Amino acid sequence: MTSSREQFAQNLRQRRDLAGLSQEALADVCDLHRTEISLLERSKRSPRLETIVILARGLGLSSPAELFEGIR
């Protein structure tokens, strides 16, 4: 079974790929460090709520909830 952190990581990477952004480009748009994006995508770190909102905006999502798809 996939953990919530692993599912978030998959969702983040998928949304970033769909947006056509590299980890570095997303980090630049969100004013985060590329390492932060990498750690989140490898499920090595759990994001803070503020970071989730920043990522959703940087990815152009209609809602941060889109990053939680498949998490129960």
Side-chain angles (χ1 to χ4, degrees), residues 12 14 28 34-35 40 66:
L12 177 59
Q14 180 184 38
D28 287 346
R34 187 204 56 80
T35 304
L40 291 170
E66 292 183 51

Side-chain angles (χ1 to χ4, degrees), residues 1-30:
M1 181 168 191
T2 303
S3 72
S4 57
R5 187 166 29 179
E6 290 169 332
Q7 185 64 54
F8 179 86
Q10 290 174 13
N11 292 346
L12 177 59
R13 178 158 190 178
Q14 180 184 38
R15 297 296 181 158
R16 180 180 58 76
D17 287 344
L18 287 172
L21 297 171
S22 65
Q23 288 182 347
E24 188 168 356
L26 179 58
D28 287 346
V29 168
C30 295

